Amino acid sequence: MKRILSLISAGILLSSISLLAQTQKLRCEYLENPLGIDQTAPRFTWEFTTKQNPVSVKICVDTDSLALVKGRNNTWTSRQITSSQQLAIYTGKPLHSFQKYYWKLIDKNNQTLSAIASFEMGLLNPSDWKGAWISDSQGKEEKNAPYFRKAFEAKKEIVSARAYIAVGGLYELSINGQRVGNHRLDPMYTRFDRRTLYVTYDVTKHLQHGKNAIGVLLGNGWYNHQSTAVWFFDKAPWRNRPTFCLDVRITYKDGSVETISSGKDWKTSESPVTFNSIYTAEHYDARLEKTGWNLPNYDDKTWKDVIYRAAPSTHIVAQALHPIRHTNEILSKTLKTFSKQNYVFDLGENISGVSSITVKGNAGTVIRLKHAERILPDGHVDQSNIDVHYRPTDDKDPFQTDIFILSGKGEETFTPKFNYKGFQYIEINSSEPIELTQNSVKGYFMHSDVPAIGKITSSNPTLNKIWAATNRSYLSNLFGYPTDCPQREKNGWTGDAHIASETGLYNFDGITIYEKWLADHRDEQQPNGVLPSIIPTGGWGYEWGNGPDWTSTIAIIPWNIYLFYGDSKLLKDSYEPIKRYVDHITDISPNGLCTWGLGDWVPVKSKTPVELTSTAYYFVDVTILAKAAKLLGNQEDYIKYSALAEKIKKAFNQKYLNEQTGIYGAGVQTELSVPLYWGLVPEGLKSKVAKNLADRVAQDNYHLDVGLLGTKAILNALSENGYASVAYKVASQESYPSWGWWIVNGATSLYENWPIDAKSDISMNHIMFGEIGAWLYKGLAGIFPDEQGAGFKSIILKPNFVEGLATFSADFESPRGLIHSEWEQKGNTVIYKIVVPPNASAKVQLPEGYKVKSINQKAISTPQVGLLSAGEYTLLIEK
Ligand code: BGC
């Protein structure tokens, strides 16, 4: 690296790159220059810039960046990758633990096409670990979060250093008094007894020649859940006092390597974190602070010895994903002062995350910070919508209430480290009078920090707010696994997640999180294929709520990842699990109809038979399995599962479809839209069923009458079958029941229930009804991935210029670059602007009755445009 930096400063590299950078966004395992990966066949992706025509490329890899610059790389030169590909898998000689590799792209004439990127391997073999798993000697009921420390001397000049830390629980790592990195709540939640994650940091800058100290603070997280709720997190089979294994691997200037590891020479002590629960809150007694505890010269004579512990699992793997971070700081919008001991802060928006308080007061002052989504008419906070499943055994662990005890040493700030909450309001109660102003308390939005890749703007402000609220709820429910809500449960509810997966993929680059979560699925799957309804789980969920309407995540998410990224790895990894899953449903559904499931959860009013929706999801899974079989070259399975899909479809239609009328079941919105959306309707009857759906929606006064499963289907079923304006009418309603109804009543996130005054199922930050966020890209902008060219190599563009909306614009950063679809309509004329990214083509389909008059001001005689290659286009369209 040093060499490359000096080249950069000499300007050599920069000038050669800027001339030749026909590619950009080089990623390895979908991360920018990742450290500590353990994928032995890592994937490389890149984008072509708009300026040049895509060319075939080769990937060059070497451990020496200079060799790469000079075109003399040794580690690997890939074969020629056809210009249409933007993804390649490493197939060179075995990669080595700890080694950093540099890579770049060249063309067939060996001309450099990219800047140099890198990836660095972590620990590939269990024997690479030098440290031991250690903890203090306390049991799992101990409340205090333990500190660990070790001082050591680096006797030589340091060139580079890495810290590798694997933890059962959560941690904060510090070196010489400074916190390492900005991740929060690391490592991510997994089924700890099956898979334990480690995290890698570059700690070169933290260390110094001479005396150093490493400090570790451990939190409980999901590993040692002490709070008690209806899902029995506290009974998880892996539960134990937190533990960690750490290697700090230092490379000295003379080339020697020294590893400072966790072991018996560490010391442990209690910390000021007197209680921490990821589910409820954190308690901090600043009087117990040990100033300088993570500095070299700290006197740790009174600290205790550590003990060895068994590793939580034998499967210690790299955490290769976008971490959780504090992404936004949110200042309080209002402050209500009831007294000097009682204040209520309002952030003005509902978030997942933590609050932070800065305050001065007497030593021993006890400040309680109670977090809620609601406020009572008297101005105090109300947790009654979110504490319903909490089962405290005493009053020491109040729900979403941090407890901060002041040290009395001037101004002090407290921000929890091992907890997050869902909230908008913070009520402060202090045992003694304190002086707070509006700036004393702020919020930090926290979530897996996945890059934003989508943007919607339209002439309808409510629609824009719905989009923003959907994204907020999506992110509020992304913590290394997708959750249902950030307050009441924090559970990885499968159903909510597959419904929201397209919303996620249009708006965020989330592949790393989904790949990790599908590994969680594989860890949780029973040998007979059954999955639990929440993943990960401490055991709850194998008995309830885990039919195909929920746990079809195992098929739907890998398929969506394939469509959006053009990468079949997850589908391949999930293939056998999908098969086992499908085979199990087949075993219990011999006639092709499946009754296992929860059905259309939290509906507005009408009920749809569970068998209808569960059979539809069974069909979806089998269809995905058949397609995956074909894609992966398994002809036998392809034939078998295609035939099974046909059988299910037939049984489904025989039972529910009245062929004369084109009505399914009783003809309510979910019953009609689910078969339409998921492809169960016989071809010849589609338009009849669609018309029935549109009529039904009209009878319902263009308002929703669906629950979770219906929301996935309703707007799409309408807009994909000629009724886009009806869909828009429903999507843009501002009266009950609708998304807009929440917004006009002040929502900044999506709710769990349609009435704003419902009595149960009333979280105010649920992603479950979030499909509308994807529908905006599909139903209005018309941007669809095409199975014929997954990863947006081929784009389907079928916009809908709907009645009542003047302008609409969508930006979507696909793996090939920006796709833009923007329209403006005036009378019978539409100006439609398109950007097709490099190395992609778009199949444009205009709604019926629209004719293209000109493209980029050149008149054309054909009414449709057909296929567009990369470029920017303005179409003049008339009705
Ligand atoms: C969750 C939902 C979930 C449902 C399953 C609820 O408690 O919050 O989002 O899908 O249970 O029944």
Side-chain angles (χ1 to χ4, degrees):
M1 193 58 194
K2 283 248 161 92
R3 290 170 94 174
I4 205 163
L5 286 178
S6 59
L7 280 170
I8 287 175
S9 59
I12 301 168
L13 203 56
L14 277 184
S15 60
S16 67
I17 290 165
S18 56
L19 278 177
L20 299 160
Q22 292 181 33
T23 55
Q24 59 186 7
K25 294 214 178 145
L26 272 67
R27 301 282 185 268
C28 178
E29 288 297 299
Y30 297 94
L31 295 166
E32 201 176 340
N33 301 329
L35 288 184
I37 59 168
D38 57 6
Q39 185 53 256
T40 52
R43 291 162 292 176
F44 302 100
T45 55
W46 57 92
E47 277 179 22
F48 289 98
T49 56
T50 41
K51 292 178 196 79
Q52 315 274 342
N53 274 340
V55 291
S56 60
V57 305
K58 286 193 258 182
I59 297 174
C60 301
V61 179
D62 203 281
T63 54
D64 181 351
S65 54
L66 194 55
L68 211 56
V69 172
K70 291 184 178 159
R72 294 200 202 121
N73 59 297
N74 247 321
T75 310
W76 187 52
T77 303
S78 73
R79 58 183 174 72
Q80 198 88 12
I81 301 160
T82 63
S83 60
S84 63
Q85 295 290 316
Q86 291 178 210
L87 165 71
I89 302 172
Y90 180 83
T91 56
K93 39 185 155 180
L95 299 169
H96 298 295
S97 298
F98 311 119
Q99 181 66 54
K100 187 178 201 95
Y101 295 90
Y102 298 91
W103 66 288
K104 69 170 185 179
L105 301 173
I106 57 171
D107 68 9
K108 61 175 186 296
N109 303 318
N110 297 336
Q111 291 299 308
T112 298
L113 298 175
S114 73
I116 289 177
S118 68
F119 64 97
E120 188 176 292
M121 303 310 286
L123 298 93
L124 300 180
N125 315 295
S127 58
D128 291 330
W129 286 94
K130 298 271 179 288
W133 285 86
I134 60 170
S135 189
D136 62 5
S137 26
Q138 302 284 3
K140 63 185 179 197
E141 300 304 341
E142 169 61 39
K143 301 286 188 278
N144 192 281
Y147 272 152
F148 299 85
R149 65 170 262 117
K150 176 185 163 67
F152 69 98
E153 204 168 331
K155 298 216 173 66
K156 295 180 266 188
E157 200 182 319
I158 297 167
V159 183
S160 77
R162 299 287 181 268
Y164 305 94
I165 182 163
V167 179
L170 301 172
Y171 70 89
E172 274 202 7
L173 171 66
S174 51
I175 295 181
N176 296 330
Q178 283 210 320
R179 194 174 162 220
V180 175
N182 62 1
H183 300 188
R184 298 294 325 276
L185 304 176
D186 253 349
M188 297 302 102
Y189 183 14
T190 56
R191 180 144 186 181
F192 298 99
D193 51 355
R194 301 255 161 94
R195 206 162 100 262
T196 313
L197 301 179
Y198 70 89
V199 185
T200 304
Y201 296 98
D202 181 349
V203 292
T204 315
K205 281 200 214 101
H206 288 84
L207 291 166
Q208 58 197 20
H209 187 170
K211 282 184 176 177
N212 292 281
I214 308 174
V216 173
L217 172 65
L218 291 186
N220 289 321
W222 294 100
Y223 180 66
N224 186 32
H225 210 288
Q226 295 174 328
S227 302
T228 38
V230 298
W231 309 277
F232 303 111
F233 307 130
D234 58 313
K235 301 264 187 324
W238 59 69
R239 194 180 151 195
N240 211 333
R241 179 79 170 151
T243 175
F244 74 102
C245 182
L246 169 79
D247 279 350
V248 175
R249 194 169 184 272
I250 305 170
T251 307
Y252 293 110
K253 200 171 176 191
D254 64 5
S256 60
V257 170
E258 183 182 15
T259 305
I260 309 296
S261 297
S262 50
K264 276 292 178 66
D265 51 350
W266 283 59
K267 292 282 196 178
T268 181
S269 166
E270 295 196 331
S271 76
V273 179
T274 53
F275 175 81
N276 68 98
S277 161
I278 192 152
Y279 182 62
T280 55
E282 190 159 312
H283 307 171
Y284 187 91
D285 187 343
R287 295 169 303 180
L288 305 180
E289 279 171 358
K290 295 178 160 59
T291 311
W293 71 277
N294 46 10
L295 289 172
N297 289 329
Y298 181 80
D299 181 0
D300 59 17
K301 265 203 302 292
T302 57
W303 286 39
K304 298 198 178 79
D305 291 338
V306 300
I307 56 160
Y308 282 151
R309 274 272 306 280
S313 79
T314 50
H315 195 196
I316 315 292
V317 301
Q319 175 173 299
L321 52 148
H322 294 286
I324 297 170
R325 291 195 176 98
H326 285 176
T327 57
N328 298 30
E329 183 183 280
I330 298 155
L331 302 178
S332 302
K333 300 288 177 299
T334 60
L335 165 62
K336 191 164 169 75
T337 306
F338 289 96
S339 73
K340 294 285 174 211
Q341 288 175 264
N342 185 203
Y343 300 84
V344 173
F345 291 80
D346 177 2
L347 298 182
E349 48 192 289
N350 197 354
I351 59 164
S352 61
V354 290
S355 66
S356 178
I357 182 168
T358 301
V359 58
K360 228 168 147 175
N362 296 332
T365 303
V366 181
I367 298 174
R368 296 161 81 93
L369 299 96
K370 184 173 176 183
H371 298 72
E373 291 183 309
R374 288 181 169 188
I375 198 111
L376 294 164
D378 64 7
H380 292 285
V381 303
D382 172 19
Q383 291 185 332
S384 63
N385 66 322
I386 49 175
D387 65 1
V388 286
H389 297 319
Y390 181 39
R391 300 284 179 273
T393 50
D394 55 35
D395 60 0
K396 295 199 176 66
D397 177 12
F399 191 63
Q400 291 213 147
T401 304
D402 295 324
I403 301 178
F404 177 32
I405 304 180
L406 300 185
S407 72
K409 296 181 192 149
E411 200 168 77
E412 314 177 48
T413 296
F414 165 71
T415 317
K417 301 173 197 301
F418 300 128
N419 161 269
Y420 76 97
K421 309 166 186 79
F423 66 103
Q424 171 168 343
Y425 303 96
I426 307 114
E427 177 153 8
I428 310 284
N429 277 292
S430 175
S431 62
E432 288 186 44
I434 46 173
E435 209 55 61
L436 296 180
T437 66
Q438 202 171 315
N439 296 331
S440 305
V441 171
K442 54 191 167 196
Y444 290 105
F445 192 12
M446 281 166 71
H447 51 81
S448 286
D449 195 7
V450 284
I453 54 169
K455 183 157 176 50
I456 296 289
T457 38
S458 79
S459 51
N460 178 340
T462 305
L463 200 70
N464 300 343
K465 283 186 190 162
I466 292 174
W467 171 71
T470 303
N471 279 356
R472 173 186 296 264
S473 285
Y474 181 79
L475 291 175
S476 298
N477 284 297
L478 201 65
F479 279 75
Y481 66 109
T483 68
D484 59 335
C485 51
Q487 3 66 6
R488 188 187 67 213
E489 303 198 18
K490 300 184 170 80
N491 273 319
W493 275 104
T494 44
D496 308 41
H498 69 70
I499 298 285
S501 63
E502 285 174 278
T503 292
L505 293 170
Y506 276 111
N507 287 293
F508 301 99
D509 178 12
I511 184 171
T512 58
I513 312 295
Y514 284 121
E515 290 196 333
K516 178 263 174 196
W517 194 47
L518 266 290
D520 298 336
H521 277 60
R522 299 195 290 277
D523 284 343
E524 298 285 11
Q525 191 172 31
Q526 296 281 358
N528 71 354
V530 169
L531 288 156
S533 50
I534 56 171
I535 297 176
T537 176
W540 191 91
Y542 285 103
E543 303 296 334
W544 192 84
N546 58 334
D549 46 358
W550 258 244
T551 49
S552 287
T553 38
I554 190 75
I556 292 175
I557 289 184
W559 181 248
N560 283 342
I561 290 289
Y562 170 68
L563 289 180
F564 276 74
Y565 288 85
D567 185 341
S568 55
K569 179 175 187 296
L570 187 60
L571 204 51
K572 237 178 255 167
D573 291 348
S574 309
Y575 187 77
E576 285 304 319
I578 300 172
K579 210 164 133 173
R580 251 186 292 150
Y581 177 73
V582 158
D583 288 347
H584 174 75
I585 306 174
T586 305
D587 283 347
I588 59 166
S589 322
N591 62 357
L593 296 173
C594 176
T595 53
W596 183 28
L598 285 180
D600 200 17
W601 196 248
V602 193
V604 173
K605 55 178 194 294
S606 299
K607 292 245 173 0
T608 293
V610 169
E611 188 183 67
L612 186 147
T613 45
S614 283
T615 303
Y617 277 93
Y618 173 33
F619 173 77
V620 172
D621 299 333
V622 176
T623 309
I624 290 173
L625 181 57
K627 286 187 200 176
K630 187 169 182 199
L631 190 78
L632 304 175
N634 189 334
Q635 188 64 11
E636 207 179 300
D637 278 2
Y638 171 61
I639 293 169
K640 176 177 165 187
Y641 291 104
S642 302
L644 178 57
E646 274 313 306
K647 175 186 161 181
I648 300 166
K649 189 170 174 175
K650 209 167 148 202
F652 180 86
N653 286 322
Q654 250 165 21
K655 173 102 187 244
Y656 289 102
L657 173 64
N658 178 334
E659 293 199 1
Q660 254 65 54
T661 57
I663 288 194
Y664 280 86
V668 298
Q669 290 184 19
T670 298
E671 288 174 312
L672 294 170
S673 57
V674 163
L676 267 175
Y677 176 65
W678 290 112
L680 282 143
V681 181
E683 208 46 48
L685 285 173
K686 265 189 167 175
S687 56
K688 203 170 190 176
V689 178
K691 163 109 183 27
N692 285 330
L693 175 62
D695 290 348
R696 175 77 242 177
V697 170
Q699 277 171 45
D700 293 326
N701 197 20
Y702 297 98
H703 280 76
L704 291 166
D705 179 21
V706 289
L708 170 64
L709 306 175
T711 45
K712 181 73 194 177
I714 180 81
L715 299 177
N716 298 297
L718 288 166
S719 58
E720 284 177 39
N721 291 287
Y723 295 95
S725 288
V726 175
Y728 174 66
K729 218 165 168 176
V730 174
S732 60
Q733 286 296 358
E734 296 185 6
S735 52
Y736 171 83
S738 66
W739 292 276
W741 173 241
W742 299 334
I743 300 296
V744 296
N745 280 285
T748 56
S749 47
L750 302 189
Y751 293 174
E752 187 186 10
N753 214 325
W754 299 109
I756 50 172
D757 55 355
K759 296 287 169 272
S760 62
D761 304 310
I762 40 177
S763 128
M764 295 168 78
N765 202 353
H766 245 66
I767 188 51
M768 155 168 124
F769 292 137
E771 164 63 12
I772 190 167
W775 178 78
L776 297 172
Y777 292 88
K778 295 187 283 184
L780 296 181
I783 303 171
F784 290 82
D786 182 1
E787 269 179 62
Q788 308 310 321
F792 296 93
K793 179 175 160 188
S794 172
I795 303 157
I796 295 174
L797 263 189
K798 35 178 195 182
N800 286 304
F801 316 125
V802 294
E803 283 163 34
L805 188 64
T807 64
F808 187 80
S809 161
D811 281 335
F812 168 60
E813 282 287 344
S814 78
R816 306 226 152 199
L818 177 72
I819 300 173
H820 179 70
S821 173
E822 176 189 347
W823 47 260
E824 181 178 356
Q825 49 179 345
K826 265 193 214 129
N828 286 336
T829 307
V830 181
I831 308 282
Y832 182 36
K833 292 186 180 158
I834 303 172
V835 177
V836 180
N839 219 8
S841 60
K843 297 173 183 166
V844 181
Q845 293 166 37
L846 297 182
E848 234 182 82
Y850 286 87
K851 292 192 184 72
V852 183
K853 291 288 169 187
S854 70
I855 298 182
N856 293 348
Q857 293 183 341
K858 269 208 223 127
I860 61 162
S861 49
T862 43
Q864 294 282 334
V865 280
L867 202 66
L868 290 180
S869 55
E872 296 180 15
Y873 304 90
T874 301
L875 278 58
L876 176 67
I877 297 171
E878 272 176 17
K879 205 172 176 174

